[in-house]
Amino acid sequence: MVYTVSSSEKLRKSAADSETKALLYLMNFHENRDEIHYFVVDFFNDLTGMDRMAGRLWDIQSKGAKNNSPKALGKELVTLYKNFVSYFEFDSYILFVGGVSSAVRIDSTKNIFKMDNIQESSQKKLKEGLIEEAQSKTYINPSDITDKKIDEFLRNVLFVIDDKEPSDYVKSIIKDHIALIPKNNELTAIFNEIRKIQSDKKNTDPVESISITSIDQSLYYYRHLTSGQIKTLVIGRLINKNPFEKACPVPFIDIYSSFPPESRKDALEECKLAFSRALFNKNCAEEFWILFNEIYNKILDYPNKNVEEIYSLLDKYTKQSCPDFDVLSLKYFIATVKEGLQNDN
């Protein structure tokens, strides 16, 4: 059995905004966010989350319109339904929309809901819209358009209404409690950069009509981002440098020079690897940002202090809260942040 790609597309800016919001929703707000590693762009659907070993899929169709009628919602479900009846199994089917008409929800305060929060008359119109759209698509077999299958599918759909600004979605990466969150225009600029990277994935070689026999084969076409890449981008914008540049950070040179010459290269790589593990460790995400926040602010408060002195000023328990760092790699991290902030001045 195979899965054949159909209906890949290039989008207008408003639609691209919606897809980036959908990506950041999956990354930061969905209940399975800690399990989602890859974000596959315009392959299975507008966006599909995938776990690290390509064993699970979270499928999203996004629509930026603010006042979707029940029938319009049904029509927008067609690519999710295509995947529901496909060879592959998807963990979740999510319709991410800018808004809905007043006729849709029973409880209008719920922005994340399932069919049981849709008014009965609207459920009928939604189903009608889905059936009409499915019947018009050549990529859905008519034998798959049955009441039983459609009702089962609709019970599994999650509707998500976009209720946040672009800056809010980026802020959620950094965590709300952190004191170093930049101004909204800077957060929006980071959002736009993520959107551009995501949109560029659509400009790679076309995948329309490509067939695959396993989920992981979708990664061969490099239409994906990872949560780690996005976090690295955000860190880079906050400290104004690539945190994984090959050169030794200048503030770390005194420490680096004290290593035996034959050990320097390996020691530096170990520090970078520890930093990478700490940044991408989802089990200690909040602890990482608390540590980063304290380092960032100590450097701003004491710009003339060196790495050793900044290290000594950090709270003992905060230093120990990220198990991926040891003393040397933490000093390397301090040096990386310090160099980035010095370059900004």
Side-chain angles (χ1 to χ4, degrees):
M1 299 291 289
V2 299
Y3 179 99
T4 301
V5 179
S6 58
S7 297
S8 63
E9 58 183 349
K10 294 182 180 179
L11 301 180
R12 301 181 305 277
K13 177 184 177 295
S14 59
D17 278 356
S18 180
E19 285 196 7
T20 302
K21 288 181 174 183
L23 186 159
L24 296 175
Y25 160 77
L26 265 190
M27 179 175 168
N28 298 299
F29 297 105
H30 190 271
E31 62 181 0
N32 299 131
R33 59 189 175 273
D34 290 340
E35 298 174 59
I36 301 171
H37 177 72
Y38 293 107
F39 303 94
V40 184
V41 177
D42 197 30
F43 194 95
F44 301 103
N45 210 331
D46 286 345
L47 182 80
T48 307
M50 183 188 297
D51 71 345
R52 187 177 297 275
M53 296 308 294
R56 300 177 67 189
L57 295 170
W58 293 263
D59 204 31
I60 285 194
Q61 170 69 24
S62 62
K63 181 175 173 62
K66 300 288 186 183
N67 194 36
N68 291 285
S69 68
K71 192 166 185 178
L73 290 176
K75 288 180 177 292
E76 288 299 322
L77 288 171
V78 70
T79 51
L80 292 168
Y81 188 68
K82 172 198 71 175
N83 287 332
F84 176 76
V85 297
S86 75
Y87 169 54
F88 293 147
E89 183 177 340
F90 292 74
D91 276 63
S92 188
Y93 305 93
I94 304 164
L95 184 60
F96 186 90
V97 296
V100 296
S101 70
S102 58
V104 174
R105 287 174 288 179
I106 296 171
D107 182 350
S108 60
T109 65
K110 291 184 177 179
N111 285 339
I112 299 176
F113 55 94
K114 302 191 87 169
M115 283 291 285
D116 59 5
N117 191 46
I118 295 180
Q119 298 184 38
E120 187 174 346
S121 60
S122 294
Q123 289 187 28
K124 294 177 181 178
K125 292 178 181 177
L126 185 150
K127 184 175 177 179
E128 180 183 312
L130 172 56
I131 291 172
E132 285 183 11
E133 196 70 9
Q135 289 173 337
S136 72
K137 301 298 184 185
T138 58
Y139 53 69
I140 295 180
N141 192 315
S143 64
D144 285 325
I145 307 172
T146 66
D147 284 340
K148 182 179 180 180
K149 285 186 177 181
I150 286 175
D151 289 342
E152 182 184 356
F153 164 69
L154 291 175
R155 285 195 295 271
N156 286 281
V157 173
L158 184 69
F159 298 87
V160 178
I161 296 178
D162 170 24
D163 57 358
K164 300 176 180 62
E165 295 298 319
S167 57
D168 295 321
Y169 284 98
V170 176
K171 191 184 298 181
S172 67
I173 302 172
I174 304 169
K175 305 297 180 187
D176 289 337
H177 63 266
I178 200 162
L180 58 80
I181 292 175
K183 296 178 181 177
N184 278 357
N185 62 335
E186 295 174 73
L187 290 167
T188 301
I190 295 172
F191 177 91
N192 291 341
E193 190 166 355
I194 297 170
R195 187 191 66 211
K196 182 181 183 305
I197 295 169
Q198 187 176 0
S199 296
D200 285 347
K201 296 295 179 181
K202 295 177 180 289
N203 297 325
T204 58
D205 292 339
V207 293
E208 187 80 19
S209 300
I210 283 174
S211 294
I212 59 175
T213 56
S214 63
I215 290 171
D216 61 288
Q217 289 175 359
S218 64
L219 302 176
Y220 300 170
Y221 301 92
Y222 266 78
R223 284 177 166 252
H224 60 269
L225 299 163
T226 68
S227 56
Q229 287 173 322
I230 295 168
K231 289 179 182 178
T232 301
L233 184 154
V234 172
I235 285 275
R237 296 304 166 267
L238 291 174
I239 64 174
N240 304 290
K241 79 183 293 285
N242 179 348
F244 297 113
E245 284 179 347
K246 291 184 178 180
C248 177
V250 172
F252 194 67
I253 285 177
D254 285 347
I255 298 171
Y256 176 78
S257 299
S258 68
F259 301 155
E262 67 276 10
S263 301
R264 289 173 185 170
K265 182 179 178 181
D266 288 344
L268 191 62
E269 286 303 312
E270 282 297 318
C271 289
K272 290 180 181 179
L273 285 171
F275 175 17
S276 177
R277 288 193 298 269
L279 176 58
F280 303 153
N281 187 343
K282 294 183 178 182
N283 294 323
C284 297
E286 185 167 348
E287 289 81 1
F288 174 84
W289 288 106
I290 291 172
L291 176 62
F292 182 25
N293 181 54
E294 185 167 345
I295 291 169
Y296 186 97
N297 284 292
K298 292 296 185 190
I299 292 170
L300 291 181
D301 291 341
Y302 305 100
N304 296 321
K305 290 190 180 296
N306 63 28
V307 169
E308 300 279 12
E309 292 169 322
I310 294 295
Y311 177 85
S312 69
L313 292 173
L314 298 177
D315 177 77
K316 173 184 175 181
Y317 297 102
T318 302
K319 286 190 286 192
Q320 294 175 342
S321 65
C322 290
D324 295 293
F325 282 123
D326 57 21
V327 62
L328 290 178
S329 57
L330 182 52
K331 289 181 179 180
Y332 169 84
F333 180 37
I334 294 169
T336 300
V337 177
K338 184 173 177 64
E339 182 172 73
L341 294 179
Q342 286 174 337
N343 291 340
D344 190 39
N345 295 330

Coordinates of all heavy atoms in Angstrom, one line a residue, residues 102-143:
S102 N -21.4 32.9 14.2 CA -22.1 32.7 15.4 C -23.0 31.4 15.4 O -23.4 31.0 16.5 CB -23.0 33.9 15.7 OG -23.9 34.1 14.7
A103 N -23.2 30.9 14.2 CA -24.1 29.7 14.1 C -23.4 28.4 14.5 O -24.1 27.4 14.6 CB -24.7 29.6 12.7
V104 N -22.1 28.5 14.7 CA -21.3 27.2 14.8 C -21.4 26.7 16.3 O -21.8 25.5 16.5 CB -19.9 27.4 14.4 CG1 -19.1 26.2 14.6 CG2 -19.9 27.7 12.9
R105 N -20.9 27.4 17.2 CA -20.6 26.9 18.6 C -21.8 26.9 19.5 O -22.6 27.9 19.5 CB -19.5 27.6 19.2 CG -18.1 27.2 18.6 CD -17.0 28.1 19.2 NE -17.1 29.5 18.8 CZ -16.3 30.5 19.1 NH1 -15.3 30.2 20.0 NH2 -16.4 31.7 18.7
I106 N -21.9 25.9 20.3 CA -22.9 26.0 21.4 C -22.4 26.9 22.5 O -23.0 27.8 23.0 CB -23.2 24.5 22.0 CG1 -23.8 23.7 20.9 CG2 -24.0 24.6 23.2 CD1 -23.9 22.2 21.3
D107 N -21.1 26.6 23.0 CA -20.4 27.5 23.9 C -19.4 28.3 23.2 O -18.3 27.8 22.8 CB -19.8 26.6 25.0 CG -19.1 27.4 26.1 OD1 -19.0 28.6 25.9 OD2 -18.7 26.8 27.1
S108 N -19.7 29.5 23.0 CA -18.8 30.4 22.2 C -17.6 30.8 22.9 O -16.7 31.4 22.3 CB -19.6 31.7 21.8 OG -20.0 32.4 22.9
T109 N -17.4 30.4 24.2 CA -16.2 30.8 24.9 C -15.1 29.7 24.6 O -13.9 30.0 25.0 CB -16.4 30.9 26.4 OG1 -16.8 29.6 26.9 CG2 -17.5 31.9 26.7
K110 N -15.5 28.6 24.1 CA -14.5 27.5 23.8 C -13.9 27.7 22.4 O -14.5 27.7 21.4 CB -15.2 26.2 23.9 CG -15.6 25.8 25.3 CD -16.1 24.3 25.3 CE -16.5 23.9 26.7 NZ -17.1 22.5 26.7
N111 N -12.5 27.9 22.4 CA -11.8 28.1 21.2 C -11.1 26.8 20.7 O -10.6 26.8 19.6 CB -10.8 29.2 21.3 CG -11.5 30.6 21.3 OD1 -12.6 30.8 20.8 ND2 -10.8 31.6 21.8
I112 N -11.2 25.8 21.5 CA -10.7 24.5 21.1 C -11.8 23.5 21.5 O -12.2 23.4 22.7 CB -9.4 24.1 21.9 CG1 -8.3 25.1 21.5 CG2 -9.0 22.7 21.5 CD1 -7.0 24.9 22.3
F113 N -12.4 22.8 20.5 CA -13.6 22.1 20.8 C -13.7 21.0 19.7 O -13.0 20.9 18.7 CB -14.8 22.9 20.7 CG -15.0 23.8 19.5 CD1 -15.8 23.3 18.4 CD2 -14.4 25.0 19.3 CE1 -15.9 24.0 17.3 CE2 -14.5 25.7 18.2 CZ -15.3 25.3 17.1
K114 N -14.7 20.1 20.0 CA -15.0 19.0 19.0 C -16.4 19.1 18.6 O -17.1 20.1 18.9 CB -14.7 17.6 19.7 CG -13.2 17.5 20.1 CD -12.8 16.1 20.6 CE -12.4 15.3 19.4 NZ -11.7 14.0 19.7
M115 N -16.9 18.1 17.9 CA -18.3 18.2 17.3 C -19.4 18.4 18.4 O -20.4 19.0 18.1 CB -18.5 16.9 16.5 CG -17.9 16.9 15.1 SD -18.5 18.1 14.0 CE -20.1 17.3 13.5
D116 N -19.1 17.9 19.6 CA -20.2 18.1 20.6 C -20.4 19.5 21.0 O -21.4 19.8 21.8 CB -19.9 17.2 21.8 CG -18.5 17.5 22.5 OD1 -17.9 18.5 22.1 OD2 -18.1 16.8 23.4
N117 N -19.5 20.4 20.6 CA -19.8 21.9 20.9 C -20.3 22.6 19.6 O -20.3 23.8 19.6 CB -18.5 22.5 21.4 CG -18.8 23.9 21.9 OD1 -19.7 24.1 22.7 ND2 -17.9 24.9 21.5
I118 N -20.7 21.9 18.6 CA -21.3 22.5 17.4 C -22.8 22.2 17.4 O -23.3 21.1 17.7 CB -20.6 21.9 16.2 CG1 -19.1 22.3 16.1 CG2 -21.3 22.4 14.9 CD1 -18.4 21.7 14.9
Q119 N -23.5 23.3 17.1 CA -25.0 23.2 17.2 C -25.5 22.1 16.2 O -24.9 21.9 15.1 CB -25.6 24.6 16.8 CG -25.2 25.6 17.8 CD -25.9 27.0 17.6 OE1 -27.1 27.0 17.2 NE2 -25.2 28.1 17.8
E120 N -26.6 21.5 16.5 CA -27.0 20.3 15.7 C -27.3 20.7 14.3 O -26.9 20.0 13.4 CB -28.3 19.8 16.4 CG -28.8 18.5 15.7 CD -29.9 17.8 16.5 OE1 -30.2 18.2 17.6 OE2 -30.6 16.9 15.9
S121 N -28.0 21.9 14.1 CA -28.3 22.3 12.7 C -27.0 22.6 11.9 O -26.9 22.3 10.7 CB -29.1 23.5 12.7 OG -28.5 24.6 13.4
S122 N -26.0 23.1 12.6 CA -24.7 23.4 12.0 C -23.9 22.1 11.7 O -23.1 22.0 10.7 CB -23.8 24.3 12.8 OG -24.5 25.6 13.0
Q123 N -24.1 21.1 12.5 CA -23.4 19.8 12.3 C -23.9 19.2 10.9 O -23.1 18.7 10.2 CB -23.7 18.8 13.4 CG -23.0 19.1 14.7 CD -23.2 18.0 15.7 OE1 -23.4 16.8 15.3 NE2 -23.2 18.3 17.0
K124 N -25.2 19.4 10.6 CA -25.7 18.8 9.4 C -25.1 19.6 8.2 O -24.7 19.0 7.2 CB -27.2 19.0 9.4 CG -27.9 18.1 10.4 CD -29.4 18.3 10.4 CE -30.1 17.4 11.5 NZ -31.6 17.6 11.5
K125 N -25.0 20.9 8.3 CA -24.4 21.7 7.2 C -22.9 21.4 7.0 O -22.4 21.4 5.9 CB -24.7 23.2 7.5 CG -26.1 23.6 7.4 CD -26.3 25.1 7.8 CE -27.8 25.5 7.7 NZ -28.0 26.9 8.1
L126 N -22.2 21.2 8.2 CA -20.8 20.9 8.1 C -20.6 19.6 7.4 O -19.8 19.5 6.5 CB -20.3 20.9 9.5 CG -18.8 20.7 9.7 CD1 -18.3 21.4 11.0 CD2 -18.4 19.2 9.8
K127 N -21.4 18.6 7.7 CA -21.3 17.3 7.1 C -21.6 17.4 5.6 O -21.0 16.8 4.8 CB -22.2 16.3 7.8 CG -22.1 14.9 7.3 CD -23.0 13.9 8.1 CE -22.9 12.5 7.5 NZ -23.8 11.6 8.4
E128 N -22.6 18.2 5.3 CA -23.0 18.4 3.9 C -21.9 19.0 3.1 O -21.6 18.6 2.0 CB -24.2 19.3 3.9 CG -24.8 19.6 2.5 CD -25.9 20.6 2.6 OE1 -26.9 20.4 3.4 OE2 -25.9 21.6 1.8
G129 N -21.2 20.0 3.7 CA -20.1 20.6 3.0 C -18.9 19.7 2.8 O -18.3 19.7 1.7
L130 N -18.6 18.8 3.8 CA -17.6 17.8 3.6 C -17.9 16.8 2.5 O -17.0 16.5 1.7 CB -17.3 17.1 5.0 CG -16.4 15.9 4.9 CD1 -15.0 16.3 4.4 CD2 -16.2 15.3 6.3
I131 N -19.1 16.3 2.5 CA -19.5 15.4 1.5 C -19.4 16.0 0.1 O -18.9 15.3 -0.8 CB -20.9 14.8 1.8 CG1 -20.9 14.0 3.0 CG2 -21.4 14.0 0.6 CD1 -22.3 13.5 3.5
E132 N -19.9 17.2 -0.1 CA -19.8 17.8 -1.4 C -18.4 18.0 -1.9 O -18.1 17.7 -3.0 CB -20.5 19.2 -1.3 CG -22.0 19.2 -1.3 CD -22.6 20.6 -1.3 OE1 -21.9 21.5 -1.6 OE2 -23.8 20.7 -1.1
E133 N -17.5 18.4 -1.0 CA -16.1 18.6 -1.3 C -15.4 17.3 -1.6 O -14.6 17.2 -2.5 CB -15.4 19.4 -0.2 CG -14.1 20.0 -0.6 CD -14.2 21.2 -1.6 OE1 -15.4 21.7 -1.8 OE2 -13.2 21.7 -2.1
A134 N -15.7 16.3 -0.8 CA -15.1 15.0 -1.0 C -15.5 14.4 -2.3 O -14.7 13.8 -3.0 CB -15.5 14.1 0.2
Q135 N -16.8 14.6 -2.7 CA -17.2 14.0 -4.0 C -16.6 14.7 -5.2 O -16.5 14.1 -6.2 CB -18.8 14.1 -4.0 CG -19.5 13.2 -3.1 CD -21.0 13.4 -3.0 OE1 -21.5 14.5 -3.3 NE2 -21.8 12.4 -2.6
S136 N -16.1 15.9 -5.0 CA -15.5 16.7 -6.1 C -14.1 16.4 -6.3 O -13.4 16.9 -7.2 CB -15.7 18.2 -5.8 OG -14.9 18.7 -4.8
K137 N -13.4 15.7 -5.3 CA -12.0 15.4 -5.4 C -11.7 14.1 -6.0 O -12.2 13.0 -5.5 CB -11.4 15.5 -4.0 CG -11.6 16.8 -3.2 CD -11.0 18.0 -4.0 CE -11.1 19.3 -3.2 NZ -10.6 20.4 -4.0
T138 N -10.8 14.1 -6.9 CA -10.4 12.8 -7.6 C -9.5 12.0 -6.7 O -9.4 10.7 -6.9 CB -9.7 13.1 -8.9 OG1 -8.5 13.9 -8.6 CG2 -10.6 13.8 -9.9
Y139 N -8.9 12.6 -5.7 CA -8.0 11.8 -4.8 C -8.8 11.1 -3.7 O -8.1 10.5 -2.8 CB -6.9 12.7 -4.2 CG -7.3 14.0 -3.5 CD1 -8.0 13.9 -2.3 CD2 -7.0 15.2 -4.1 CE1 -8.3 15.1 -1.7 CE2 -7.4 16.4 -3.4 CZ -8.0 16.3 -2.2 OH -8.4 17.5 -1.6
I140 N -10.1 11.2 -3.6 CA -10.8 10.5 -2.6 C -11.7 9.5 -3.3 O -12.5 9.8 -4.2 CB -11.7 11.4 -1.7 CG1 -10.8 12.3 -0.9 CG2 -12.6 10.6 -0.8 CD1 -11.5 13.2 0.0
N141 N -11.6 8.2 -3.0 CA -12.3 7.1 -3.6 C -13.8 7.3 -3.2 O -14.1 7.4 -2.0 CB -11.8 5.8 -3.2 CG -12.3 4.6 -4.0 OD1 -13.5 4.6 -4.3 ND2 -11.5 3.7 -4.4
P142 N -14.7 7.2 -4.2 CA -16.2 7.3 -3.8 C -16.6 6.3 -2.8 O -17.5 6.6 -2.0 CB -16.9 7.1 -5.2 CG -15.9 7.6 -6.2 CD -14.5 7.2 -5.6
S143 N -16.0 5.2 -2.8 CA -16.3 4.1 -1.8 C -16.0 4.5 -0.4 O -16.5 3.9 0.6 CB -15.7 2.8 -2.2 OG -14.2 2.9 -2.0

